[in-house]
Amino acid sequence: VVITGSNGCTTSAATTVYRNTTPPSLSITPSLVTLTCASPSAVLSVVGTGDARWSTGEVSTAISVSVANTYSVTLTGAGGCTAVANAVVSALLPASATVTSGGALGCGVTTTTVRVQASGATSFTLLGPAGYSQTNSTGVFNVNVGGSYTGVAGQPGCVASNTVTVVEGGVQPVISSVQAGGALGNGACTVPVLAVGTGDRYVLTGPGYVFSAVFRTAAGRSVSFPDVVKPGTYTLTVYSGNCVVMRTVVVSGTACP
């Protein structure tokens, strides 16, 4: 700048203006970290000078994290320029457990499989009825009692769990014998079908024929299905709860006109 006085004399002075567009130096330590059962959380720290704001919304030079994710921080330097850095947090923790049953007990099935699964887990425990408790490294358990089972994956203080119900389907029904009480024709216009078995419901179906016998409980019984009038193949189905067994029988002869 030049200043001219009233007498015509002048004087001058100068200043220099610099432009600083260099972002601040920034990094996060540690930039890679894995959470484990022994170390379920980690502290991420800013290495740099300025005002730090994290992707979590926190305004701090350090944050504590316990969830696997990618975390970023924005650092604003004294000149207003910014820099961004990231840290990747992974985890070897059983975040959730899945417990599944291989099928129902009963109906002739005496053993089923319960499977416990959880990512990162190396130890599995299954708890169930009547004090059942087993631990292994595979997560596969064989059980022979119905009821509620709880699977636990991980180590003490760092576990995930879930529950499944093993259903008991009932007593296996039995067909000891089924036979026609004779042949149609030669004056016999109807014949019975005779069955011996164990169950609570007995159903015979065939050509134009359906007959059911229903009982309160499953037990050994002799059941007669009357008035079969057509020759052909008939199917006997015996139920016990949700369990089923089937057998066929042939009625021979000729139907009456």
Side-chain angles (χ1 to χ4, degrees), residues 77-196:
C81 297
T82 61
V84 178
N86 296 319
V88 177
V89 178
S90 58
L92 292 177
L93 304 175
S96 62
T98 301
V99 184
T100 55
S101 170
L105 293 171
C107 303
V109 178
T110 59
T111 303
T112 191
T113 298
V114 174
R115 184 182 298 272
V116 183
Q117 296 173 293
S119 176
T122 58
S123 177
F124 304 89
T125 298
L126 186 66
L127 308 174
Y132 180 94
S133 178
Q134 296 290 329
T135 299
N136 63 34
S137 60
T138 64
V140 179
F141 303 87
N142 294 322
V143 301
N144 54 21
V145 176
S148 178
Y149 287 83
T150 297
V152 181
Q155 295 77 39
C158 184
V159 299
S161 65
N162 218 324
T163 301
V164 70
T165 298
V166 175
V167 177
E168 292 198 26
V171 178
Q172 174 69 15
V174 175
I175 298 176
S176 301
S177 66
V178 56
Q179 59 187 357
L184 292 169
N186 296 323
C189 292
T190 67
V191 296
V193 171
L194 308 173
V196 177

Side-chain angles (χ1 to χ4, degrees), residues 1-256:
V1 62
V2 176
I3 296 177
T4 302
S6 59
N7 60 359
C9 296
T10 63
T11 185
S12 65
T15 186
T16 302
V17 177
Y18 297 94
R19 174 181 292 177
N20 182 3
T21 59
T22 303
S25 175
L26 172 65
S27 63
I28 300 175
T29 182
S31 59
L32 295 173
V33 63
T34 300
L35 305 179
T36 66
C37 289
S39 301
S41 64
V43 174
L44 305 180
S45 299
V46 171
V47 179
T49 302
D51 298 324
R53 179 178 292 273
W54 294 86
S55 54
T56 60
E58 296 171 84
V59 179
S60 174
T61 57
I63 61 170
S64 178
V65 297
S66 57
V67 177
N69 206 340
T70 297
Y71 295 86
S72 64
V73 65
T74 300
L75 186 67
T76 303
C81 297
T82 61
V84 178
N86 296 319
V88 177
V89 178
S90 58
L92 292 177
L93 304 175
S96 62
T98 301
V99 184
T100 55
S101 170
L105 293 171
C107 303
V109 178
T110 59
T111 303
T112 191
T113 298
V114 174
R115 184 182 298 272
V116 183
Q117 296 173 293
S119 176
T122 58
S123 177
F124 304 89
T125 298
L126 186 66
L127 308 174
Y132 180 94
S133 178
Q134 296 290 329
T135 299
N136 63 34
S137 60
T138 64
V140 179
F141 303 87
N142 294 322
V143 301
N144 54 21
V145 176
S148 178
Y149 287 83
T150 297
V152 181
Q155 295 77 39
C158 184
V159 299
S161 65
N162 218 324
T163 301
V164 70
T165 298
V166 175
V167 177
E168 292 198 26
V171 178
Q172 174 69 15
V174 175
I175 298 176
S176 301
S177 66
V178 56
Q179 59 187 357
L184 292 169
N186 296 323
C189 292
T190 67
V191 296
V193 171
L194 308 173
V196 177
T198 300
D200 56 27
R201 185 156 59 103
Y202 299 72
V203 180
L204 184 69
T205 59
Y209 186 93
V210 178
F211 191 98
S212 298
V214 180
F215 304 91
R216 289 182 179 274
T217 59
R221 295 181 174 88
S222 296
V223 179
S224 177
F225 301 92
D227 301 328
V228 174
V229 298
K230 293 182 180 180
T233 299
Y234 289 75
T235 300
L236 173 64
T237 304
V238 179
Y239 298 84
S240 175
N242 295 325
C243 310
V244 180
V245 65
M246 304 171 71
R247 188 182 295 184
T248 60
V249 59
V250 175
V251 176
S252 60
T254 303
C256 292

